[in-house]
């Protein structure tokens, strides 16, 4: 019996509730009755034997994984669980510099030694240089936020080398509905899916799939548990179960429909406006729509107008407007988007360029993160070791991470950068290690 049926069965028992949670299912909103705890009839996420086990098995069978574990702490928890399953303190792990912050958090928590591949590098060529006998594993993100999928030759090389492959496929839980070959599950040891991003489940639901038998399920279970609440939310787990039902029963049909709507939208957009859709040559998720204008325009202003006209994008940056339709998107949504894009007032601006920086490392991430610090302006911070991430949009990947040294070139760039900078406590300032306090602490 799966989670949905199990929960409905317990509700039908109309219990006198002397167990958690405190709302007792009596708040007059339907969702509360599904919020349960571990009682007979439900199950235990960390030692699943009943309804959760059945749903996890169904998910594993559906995705062709050997085992699938539910995360109620999003892909963030699943990425941390995957890294903790695969790596140990001091392990040398190759990762993409534009990885999600959860990968960096794993590096910090586990004391991993990261080796970066930068976004402007040819991934395969760089991996051929970087993979050595001391490489413990590789963490890749595919597809990107923009739907770009890593090509097979990269994975074939890694499989041949025998290194552990962890894939953050957060943006690709739906990929197998388009084409089995878009997913990295046939190559990776562990794949993380942020279900809620593209499939019809609630925010914070995700899956960690074991795809090979490199790690035992019990070890993986023990590790993912480290990053979850001990009171996993049944409303979330039930929504995951509902999503998997939709995936199995209607997923392919809904996906064909979505692909047709995306293609039709692209044709109309490009025929009737000066906007166009950017798809990478090669492997690309065609349901991920990065909309650009033929001139250099202010996408933030366009995005605000879209919202005024009742259309919400995923985000905008100077790279364009990002739309994330899913199998639940309907034709009317595309019609409204097209109509709004025809009506927006375009403001042309000077193009914003972004650069890729390779700052020198002064300290490992973990050590830098834990040091006493204080804020300095970018220019004054030159030569200092920073203790935080600076993430300009575009492109949305960190230009400097804790432990790296601020350079004049980077400070000048940040001073003149016109997009958004995420991750800073104060605009124009960055936290750097407070050498005086470190010295004082050492003397004491
Ligand atoms: C590439 C990538 N990985 C992981 C995550 C974390 O996902 P979640 O929100 O499910 O914790 C995100 C979230 O945006 C992401 O973009």
């Amino acid at each position: 019996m799966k989670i949905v049926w199990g929960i409905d069965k317990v509700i039908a028992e109309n219990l006198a509730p002397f167990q958690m949670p405190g709302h007792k299912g009596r708040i007059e909103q339907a969702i509360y009755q599904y919020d349960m705890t571990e009682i007979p009839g439900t199950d235990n996420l960390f030692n699943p034997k009943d309804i959760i086990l059945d749903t996890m098995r169904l998910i594993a069978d559906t995705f062709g994984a050997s085992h699938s574990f539910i995360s109620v702490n999003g892909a963030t928890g699943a990425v941390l669980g995957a890294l903790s399953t695969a790596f140990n303190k001091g392990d040398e792990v190759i990762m993409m510099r534009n990885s999600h912050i959860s990968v960096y958090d794993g590096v910090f928590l586990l004391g991993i030694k990261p080796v970066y591949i930068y976004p402007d590098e040819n991934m395969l060529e760089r991996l051929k240089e970087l993979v050595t006998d001391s490489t413990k594993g590789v963490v890749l993100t595919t597809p990107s936020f923009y739907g770009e999928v890593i090509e097979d030759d990269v994975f074939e090389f890694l499989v041949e080398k025998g290194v552990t492959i962890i894939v953050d496929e957060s943006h690709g839980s739906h990929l197998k509905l388009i084409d089995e070959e878009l997913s990295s599950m046939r190559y990776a040891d562990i794949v993380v899916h942020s279900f809620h991003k593209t499939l019809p489940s609630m925010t914070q639901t995700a899956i960690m799939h074991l795809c090979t038998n490199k790690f035992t399920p019990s070890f993986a279970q023990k590790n993912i548990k480290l990053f979850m609440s001990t009171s996993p939310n049944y409303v979330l787990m039930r929504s995951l179960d509902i999503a998997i039902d939709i995936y199995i029963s209607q997923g392919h049909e809904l996906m064909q429909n979505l692909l047709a709507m995306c293609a039709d939208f692209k044709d109309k957009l490009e025929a009737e406006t000066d906007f166009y859709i950017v798809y990478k040559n090669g492997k690309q998720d065609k349901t991920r729509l990065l909309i650009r204008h033929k001139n250099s325009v202010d996408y933030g202003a366009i995005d605000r107008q879209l919202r005024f006209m009742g259309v919400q994008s995923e985000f905008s940056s100077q790279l364009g407007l990002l739309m994330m339709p899913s199998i639940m998107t309907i034709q009317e949504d595309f019609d409204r988007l097209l109509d709004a894009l025809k009506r927006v007032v375009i403001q042309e601006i000077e193009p914003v360029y972004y650069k890729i920086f390779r700052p020198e490392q002064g300290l490992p991430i973990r050590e830098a993160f834990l040091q006493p610090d204080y804020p300095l302006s970018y220019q004054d911070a030159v030569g200092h070791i920073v203790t935080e991430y600076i993430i300009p949009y575009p492109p949305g990947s960190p230009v400097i991470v804790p432990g790296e040294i601020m350079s004049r070139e980077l400070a000048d760039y940040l001073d003149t950068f016109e997009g958004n900078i995420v991750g800073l406590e104060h605009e124009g300032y960055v936290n750097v290690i407070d050498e005086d306090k470190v010295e004082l602490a050492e003397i004491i």
Side-chain angles (χ1 to χ4, degrees), residues 73-76 79 100 102 141 145 168 170-171 194 196-197 206:
N73 185 20
T76 300
V79 164
H100 184 255
S102 53
T141 304
F145 229 114
D168 177 357
S170 281
H171 287 271
S194 183
H196 67 92
K197 290 196 196 312

Side-chain angles (χ1 to χ4, degrees), residues 71 73-79 98-103 140-145 168-171 192-197 202-207 288 314:
S71 166
N73 185 20
T76 300
V79 164
N98 53 350
S99 297
H100 184 255
I101 192 72
S102 53
V103 178
L140 298 178
T141 304
T142 176
S144 69
F145 229 114
D168 177 357
E169 202 169 86
S170 281
H171 287 271
V192 169
H193 278 155
S194 183
F195 244 56
H196 67 92
K197 290 196 196 312
M202 286 189 183
T203 301
Q204 257 179 256
T205 52
I207 300 290
R288 194 55 66 94
E314 170 62 19

Side-chain angles (χ1 to χ4, degrees), residues 107-250:
V107 166
F108 164 75
L109 287 170
L110 297 163
I112 290 170
K113 216 168 105 201
V115 179
Y116 301 121
I117 305 177
Y118 287 83
D120 59 345
E121 289 173 333
N122 176 306
M123 189 174 281
L124 179 58
E125 293 313 314
R126 191 71 183 124
L127 280 168
K128 284 183 181 165
E129 287 164 17
L130 292 179
V131 175
T132 63
D133 290 346
S134 43
T135 306
K136 186 71 194 291
V138 177
V139 184
L140 298 178
T141 304
T142 176
S144 69
F145 229 114
Y146 305 103
E148 303 145 321
V149 174
I150 292 177
E151 303 294 333
D152 290 319
D153 50 5
V154 168
F155 287 108
E156 281 157 7
F157 168 74
L158 293 173
V159 170
E160 189 197 307
K161 287 287 168 191
V163 292
T164 296
I165 309 173
I166 308 292
V167 178
D168 177 357
E169 202 169 86
S170 281
H171 287 271
S173 316
H174 62 295
L175 285 184
K176 281 178 171 244
L177 291 176
I178 303 176
D179 178 352
E180 286 280 332
E181 305 211 336
L182 284 176
S183 171
S184 62
M185 288 187 70
R186 64 213 163 102
Y187 299 114
D189 294 296
I190 307 182
V191 169
V192 169
H193 278 155
S194 183
F195 244 56
H196 67 92
K197 290 196 196 312
T198 57
L199 291 176
S201 63
M202 286 189 183
T203 301
Q204 257 179 256
T205 52
I207 300 290
M208 179 178 95
H209 299 284
L210 293 188
C211 306
T212 60
N213 50 18
K214 194 170 231 171
F215 306 104
T216 64
S218 58
F219 189 64
Q221 173 83 80
K222 202 160 83 175
N223 278 282
I224 192 170
K225 177 183 173 297
L226 297 173
F227 304 100
M228 299 294 131
S229 161
T230 55
S231 310
N233 189 307
Y234 272 93
V235 177
L236 301 184
M237 291 192 276
R238 188 174 175 279
S239 85
L240 223 158
D241 200 8
I242 292 172
I244 197 71
D245 276 348
I246 296 174
Y247 185 104
I248 294 168
S249 61
Q250 307 165 53

Side-chain angles (χ1 to χ4, degrees), residues 66-114:
S66 71
H67 288 84
S68 298
F69 298 92
I70 293 174
S71 166
V72 285
N73 185 20
T76 300
V79 164
L80 291 168
L83 296 181
S84 159
T85 302
F87 305 125
N88 265 311
K89 192 165 178 212
D91 282 349
E92 190 178 298
V93 175
I94 300 170
M95 61 181 271
M96 289 159 67
R97 178 61 182 218
N98 53 350
S99 297
H100 184 255
I101 192 72
S102 53
V103 178
Y104 284 97
D105 289 346
V107 166
F108 164 75
L109 287 170
L110 297 163
I112 290 170
K113 216 168 105 201

Side-chain angles (χ1 to χ4, degrees), residues 21-94:
H23 57 68
K24 309 292 176 202
R26 296 210 170 104
I27 304 276
E28 289 297 310
Q29 303 241 354
I31 202 164
Y32 280 84
Q33 64 180 331
Y34 299 121
D35 183 24
M36 295 199 176
T37 186
E38 289 87 8
I39 55 172
T42 66
D43 200 354
N44 187 319
L45 182 60
F46 308 115
N47 184 18
K49 291 196 160 77
D50 197 351
I51 58 176
I52 295 179
L53 182 64
D54 286 352
T55 294
M56 290 199 328
R57 282 190 176 144
L58 181 65
I59 294 172
D61 286 350
T62 306
F63 282 85
S66 71
H67 288 84
S68 298
F69 298 92
I70 293 174
S71 166
V72 285
N73 185 20
T76 300
V79 164
L80 291 168
L83 296 181
S84 159
T85 302
F87 305 125
N88 265 311
K89 192 165 178 212
D91 282 349
E92 190 178 298
V93 175
I94 300 170

